[in-house]
């Protein structure tokens, strides 16, 4: 069962344009992470959002966690060719019985982003 | 340098021949996990470990085994590989405290003929 739906699956835009990638779920997560993966490498963490409604900015990237902690978005302003890559969201459900230990991340299928010069 | 290492990076094998993919981290992380990444299916968790001698199944554990005898190592074992286990495998680790940033290894591309 795919708990996290990412959209769009593929996106190709011109350099300088803005874009938004979405990550949606019917489940509530204790936190949500965004990763970027380049070909031949493992994913690299961009940001973690924890609080419902939280907004975090990383230069031209803006991440938002939904108020109900079920969804998130990634907005890129003035995209650059270096932004090209696979963007993954991952939700964490913290196990209630362990006093805080996580029981794993669930990943979305990813958004393949291509920024054309 | 803080890192997660995997070996081998590439492996071609035949059906039924047991293999082990090693994973090691030098960050003293409690939590380690294995994922496989397939086109159209994304990253799926195979097994995870919250500490030494504590392991649990992820979403797709069938056909895999793991062990966590030491904190730094978390090998993935395929007792009898089959072609449907052809995939790109990632090991990851993270601390149970702080911001829970997960560090991924460089990946192991496995082909089972």
């Amino acid at each position: 069962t795919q708990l996290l739906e990412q959209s769009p699956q593929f996106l190709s835009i011109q350099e300088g344009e803005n874009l938004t990638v979405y990550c949606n779920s019917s489940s509530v997560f204790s936190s949500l992470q965004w990763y970027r993966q380049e070909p031949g490498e493992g994913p690299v963490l961009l940001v973690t959002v924890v609080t419902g409604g939280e907004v975090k900015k990383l230069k031209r990237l803006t991440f938002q966690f939904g108020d109900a902690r079920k969804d998130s978005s990634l907005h890129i302003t003035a995209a650059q060719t270096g932004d090209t890559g696979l963007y993954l969201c991952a939700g964490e459900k913290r196990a209630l019985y362990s006093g805080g230990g996580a029981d794993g991340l669930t990943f979305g299928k990813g958004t393949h982003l291509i920024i054309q010069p | 340098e803080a890192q997660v290492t995997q070996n081998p990076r590439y492996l071609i094998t035949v059906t039924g021949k047991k293999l082990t993919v090693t994973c090691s981290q030098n960050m003293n992380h409690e939590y380690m996990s294995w994922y496989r990444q397939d086109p159209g299916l994304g990253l799926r968790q195979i097994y995870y470990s919250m500490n030494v001698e504590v392991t649990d199944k992820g979403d797709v554990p069938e056909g895999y085994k793991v062990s966590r005898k030491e904190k730094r190592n978390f090998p993935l074992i395929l007792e009898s590989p089959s072609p449907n286990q052809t995939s790109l495998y990632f090991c990851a680790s993270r601390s149970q405290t702080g911001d829970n940033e997960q560090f991924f290894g460089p990946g192991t591309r496995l082909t089972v003929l």
Side-chain angles (χ1 to χ4, degrees):
Chain A
T1 303
Q2 183 62 251
L3 294 179
L4 277 169
E5 297 286 341
Q6 281 189 246
S7 61
Q9 191 175 351
F10 297 95
L11 182 59
S12 179
I13 62 172
Q14 296 294 126
E15 196 170 27
E17 294 183 15
N18 302 332
L19 67 105
T20 302
V21 174
Y22 300 93
C23 178
N24 295 307
S25 175
S26 57
S27 299
V28 176
F29 294 100
S30 56
S31 68
L32 197 136
Q33 300 178 343
W34 284 93
Y35 292 80
R36 179 162 165 259
Q37 183 180 11
E38 299 196 33
E41 298 180 12
V44 176
L45 181 69
L46 295 173
V47 77
T48 301
V49 285
V50 179
T51 307
E54 182 176 4
V55 176
K56 279 192 175 178
K57 292 194 174 184
L58 191 66
K59 296 183 181 177
R60 295 174 294 100
L61 278 60
T62 301
F63 304 86
Q64 184 163 8
F65 202 11
D67 291 342
R69 305 208 314 273
K70 293 181 179 181
D71 53 79
S72 181
S73 63
L74 157 60
H75 182 79
I76 301 179
T77 304
Q80 299 177 357
T81 55
D83 295 328
T84 293
L86 175 65
Y87 289 81
L88 299 160
C89 67
E92 176 187 26
K93 289 188 176 183
R94 198 162 288 268
L96 299 177
Y97 56 83
S98 66
D103 66 355
L105 290 176
T106 298
F107 280 83
K109 293 182 181 180
T111 294
H112 294 266
L113 176 64
I114 297 174
I115 309 300
Q116 314 232 19
Chain B
E1 180 190 355
Q3 60 182 351
V4 178
T5 56
Q6 295 177 227
N7 281 293
R9 293 290 314 279
Y10 303 90
L11 179 60
I12 300 174
T13 189
V14 295
T15 298
K17 186 177 181 182
K18 180 179 179 179
L19 67 93
T20 299
V21 184
T22 64
C23 174
S24 182
Q25 51 95 4
N26 62 1
M27 295 167 279
N28 201 36
H29 286 164
E30 297 87 3
Y31 185 96
M32 298 184 74
S33 58
W34 275 103
Y35 296 86
R36 59 178 291 175
Q37 188 173 38
D38 302 287
L41 296 175
L43 271 170
R44 294 178 294 168
Q45 191 179 53
I46 302 170
Y47 267 94
Y48 64 95
S49 170
M50 295 179 70
N51 216 323
V52 175
E53 302 291 0
V54 180
T55 63
D56 209 345
K57 297 177 180 179
D59 296 318
V60 287
E62 293 77 21
Y64 305 94
K65 286 173 59 178
V66 293
S67 69
R68 188 88 182 276
K69 295 188 172 71
E70 306 164 282
K71 199 172 188 179
R72 63 183 294 125
N73 297 322
F74 190 44
L76 179 69
I77 303 152
L78 284 72
E79 294 272 3
S80 182
S82 61
N84 65 12
Q85 292 178 298
T86 292
S87 187
L88 179 59
Y89 291 86
F90 288 101
C91 180
S93 77
R94 64 178 177 175
S95 173
Q96 294 285 62
T97 59
D99 65 3
N100 284 335
E101 177 176 357
Q102 181 144 263
F103 295 83
F104 282 83
T108 295
R109 184 163 291 282
L110 173 65
T111 301
V112 183
L113 302 175

